[in-house]
């Protein structure tokens, strides 16, 4: 069976550094940090009191006020990103066979805001007994965002959610890619969302010693590949990537950002939270993505790395890149945009895949910010080009995006310039 080609025809993004793909991209290239003291709740008693929150977003400009009250924050963000992506791709049209349009969105946690609110204010602690909102379960469950997107547009194709921690939305993209190239759908609205900046979200990650505690200097807290890194910075947001079968896109005159050409998936089989110290799963997933794409290491010009700003994670990913790419590793540009957006958990894969797509389209690499002279870890190979602090212009023929999740879940997606 000949596999169909898959292209990107629409983008949508709501992030801590911009509420559209264009605004996000501009700020990433400028090295803008989205980190600041938390404003959405009182974090004064937590070890970490800052995060990368979304700023100045008017939810009701996209979603009816009455309807938005029935949605958890992560679903609101998912729906807004999808509205942007569908509009950009021009697929909300009577000319589109909506039976052939699917929705696959990833999320790592889901409706944690709703769960916290219901348990704290309405649930088990009431003197007159538990009393929950009838919207509690529909707001909380992890699959509901893809359902809302499907309902809004009447898309009857494959519809589900992928949940693999921080790899969730990369797995969503991989599934969408495979379904389209197998001919099971013409278009899939794919991506991911997460909104876990709340007491239980931040407090829970604090209990694991996973977050930076640089409360006196939030904008410099996410510092991948620097010796002084002390954990990741929590982010929130959503990204939408419209994937479409090439001939279908050409027939309707769609604009094409890039072509998706491969994906890889692997498991560390090592630890529930720590990555394999030698990067075994990361190595396997990049090798599989290259094999699937029919590419050699020297075909890739840019890797948007997982790069969370944790000690073991940054080292293991660097080791894996060196093993997979060999001498070609030193010709690559590498960057971690988590240094600016923070870690968007289940939405990270979609946003970072979008960064890879935009790098391919525009021939420019966003930086890894916050690296200072003398802040070098003896376990990190600084002969690799981490694109520290300043964006780099270069031809980007193809780019790869890595995401690795708690549980040892690894996913990698590959995009290249589109040509006939």
């Amino acid at each position: 069976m000949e596999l169909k080609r898959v292209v990107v025809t629409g983008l949508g993004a709501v992030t801590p550094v911009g509420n559209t793909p264009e605004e996000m991209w501009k700020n990433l290239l400028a090295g803008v940090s989205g980190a600041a003291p938390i404003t959405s709740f009182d974090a004064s008693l937590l070890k970490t009191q800052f995060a990368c929150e979304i700023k100045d977003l008017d939810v009701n400009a996209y979603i009816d006020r009455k309807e938005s009250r029935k949605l958890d924050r992560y679903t609101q963000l998912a729906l807004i990103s999808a509205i942007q992506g569908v509009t950009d791709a021009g697929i909300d049209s009577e000319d589109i066979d909506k039976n052939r349009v699917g929705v696959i969105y990833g999320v790592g946690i889901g409706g944690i805001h709703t769960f916290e609110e219901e348990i704290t204010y309405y649930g088990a602690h009431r003197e007159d007994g538990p009393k929950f909102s009838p919207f509690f379960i529909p707001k909380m469950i992890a699959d509901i965002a893809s359902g809302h997107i499907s309902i809004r547009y009447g898309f009857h194709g494959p519809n589900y959610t992928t949940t693999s921690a921080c790899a969730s939305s990369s797995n969503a993209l991989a599934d969408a890619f495979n379904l389209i190239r197998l001919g099971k759908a013409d278009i899939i609205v794919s991506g991911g969302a997460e909104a876990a900046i709340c007491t239980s979200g931040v407090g829970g990650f604090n209990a694991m010693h996973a977050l930076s505690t640089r409360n006196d200097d939030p904008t410099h807290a996410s510092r991948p590949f620097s010796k002084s890194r002390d954990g990741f910075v929590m982010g929130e947001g959503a990204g939408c990537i419209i994937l479409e079968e090439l001939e279908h896109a050409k027939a309707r005159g769609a604009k094409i950002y890039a072509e998706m050409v491969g994906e890889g998936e692997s498991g560390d089989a090592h630890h529930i939270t720590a990555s394999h110290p030698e990067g075994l799963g990361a190595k396997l997933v990049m090798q599989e993505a290259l094999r699937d794409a029919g590419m050699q290491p020297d075909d890739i010009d840019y890797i948007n790395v997982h790069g969370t700003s944790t000690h073991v994670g940054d080292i293991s990913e660097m080791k894996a890149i060196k093993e997979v790419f060999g001498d070609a590793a030193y010709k690559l540009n590498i960057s971690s945009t988590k240094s600016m957006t923070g870690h968007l958990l289940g939405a990270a894969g979609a946003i970072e895949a979008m960064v890879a797509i935009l790098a391919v389209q525009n021939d420019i690499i966003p930086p890894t910010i916050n690296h200072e002279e003398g802040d070098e870890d003896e376990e990190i190979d600084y002969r690799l080009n981490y694109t520290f602090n300043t964006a780099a212009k270069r031809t980007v023929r193809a780019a790869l995006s890595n995401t690795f999740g708690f549980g040892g879940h690894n996913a990698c997606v590959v995009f290249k310039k589109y040509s006939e």
Side-chain angles (χ1 to χ4, degrees), residues 77-408:
L77 300 181
L79 191 51
I80 291 169
S81 71
I83 291 168
Q84 292 181 9
V86 167
T87 301
D88 185 36
I91 58 172
D92 185 20
S93 164
E94 294 305 317
D95 297 329
I96 299 292
D97 181 358
K98 296 186 177 182
N99 292 336
R100 299 279 298 170
V101 183
V103 182
I104 305 176
Y105 254 59
V107 64
I109 297 172
I112 191 170
H113 278 271
T114 296
F115 187 83
E116 179 178 286
E117 182 180 75
E118 289 283 336
I119 295 299
T120 302
Y121 300 108
Y122 305 118
H125 305 294
R126 290 172 60 101
E127 290 184 3
D128 57 347
K131 186 176 182 180
F132 294 98
S133 163
F135 295 107
F136 174 33
I137 299 302
K139 284 177 70 175
M140 179 193 71
I141 52 179
D143 69 296
I144 205 66
S146 64
H148 276 288
I149 297 166
S150 171
I151 291 166
R152 182 183 181 98
Y153 291 106
F155 295 150
H156 292 285
N159 182 278
Y160 60 91
T161 292
T162 52
T163 300
S164 48
C166 307
S168 295
S169 51
S170 291
N171 283 131
L173 289 168
D175 281 9
F177 172 62
N178 286 325
L179 286 172
I180 293 171
R181 65 177 174 170
L182 288 170
K184 294 182 179 293
D186 296 328
I187 302 170
I188 294 187
V189 180
S190 188
E194 198 80 87
I197 300 175
C198 56
T199 302
S200 53
V202 177
F205 280 109
N206 268 157
M208 297 170 57
H209 305 287
L211 298 181
S212 171
T213 55
R214 200 182 286 259
N215 293 315
D216 59 339
D217 191 14
T219 60
H220 295 95
S222 183
R223 42 202 313 113
F225 303 105
S226 294
K227 184 177 181 179
S228 58
R229 62 194 185 280
D230 69 330
F232 74 80
V233 177
M234 180 87 82
E236 62 176 351
C240 176
I241 297 175
I242 307 293
L243 295 180
E244 185 168 355
E245 193 271 322
L246 173 59
E247 296 305 321
H248 188 275
K250 288 166 63 177
R252 67 183 190 88
K255 69 175 176 290
I256 295 175
Y257 286 92
E259 182 174 2
M260 184 168 178
V261 290
E263 60 90 8
E265 297 162 273
S266 76
D268 273 359
H270 170 68
H271 189 273
I272 58 171
T273 57
S275 56
H276 191 284
E278 299 302 316
L280 176 62
K283 172 187 170 183
L284 291 172
V285 80
M286 286 187 281
Q287 288 175 329
E288 173 58 21
L290 288 172
R291 185 205 63 76
D292 190 43
M295 289 183 165
Q296 299 301 316
D298 58 7
D299 292 325
I300 303 295
D301 293 312
Y302 170 51
I303 302 177
N304 187 290
V305 293
H306 189 56
T308 56
S309 187
T310 59
H311 182 72
V312 174
D314 288 3
I315 292 170
S316 63
E317 187 172 11
M318 178 268 297
K319 288 179 177 178
I321 289 169
K322 289 174 63 178
E323 268 206 69
V324 172
F325 286 85
D327 291 342
Y330 300 98
K331 300 174 185 177
L332 292 165
N333 274 79
I334 293 166
S335 73
S336 171
T337 44
K338 288 185 180 73
S339 60
M340 295 171 278
T341 65
H343 194 347
L344 273 61
L345 307 177
I351 291 299
E352 290 161 19
M354 194 179 307
V355 171
I357 291 162
L358 292 171
V360 166
Q361 184 192 39
N362 295 290
D363 290 323
I364 188 166
I365 311 294
T368 305
I369 68 167
N370 294 331
H371 185 75
E372 300 167 356
E373 188 175 350
D375 191 9
E376 296 187 349
D377 186 333
E378 62 183 14
E379 295 184 82
I380 296 287
D381 185 350
Y382 289 100
R383 294 175 299 165
L384 295 175
N385 185 355
Y386 299 98
T387 322
F388 282 134
N389 298 324
T390 305
K393 292 182 179 180
R394 67 169 290 175
T395 299
V396 185
R397 298 165 298 163
L400 182 154
S401 177
N402 284 337
T403 45
F404 313 137
F406 283 178

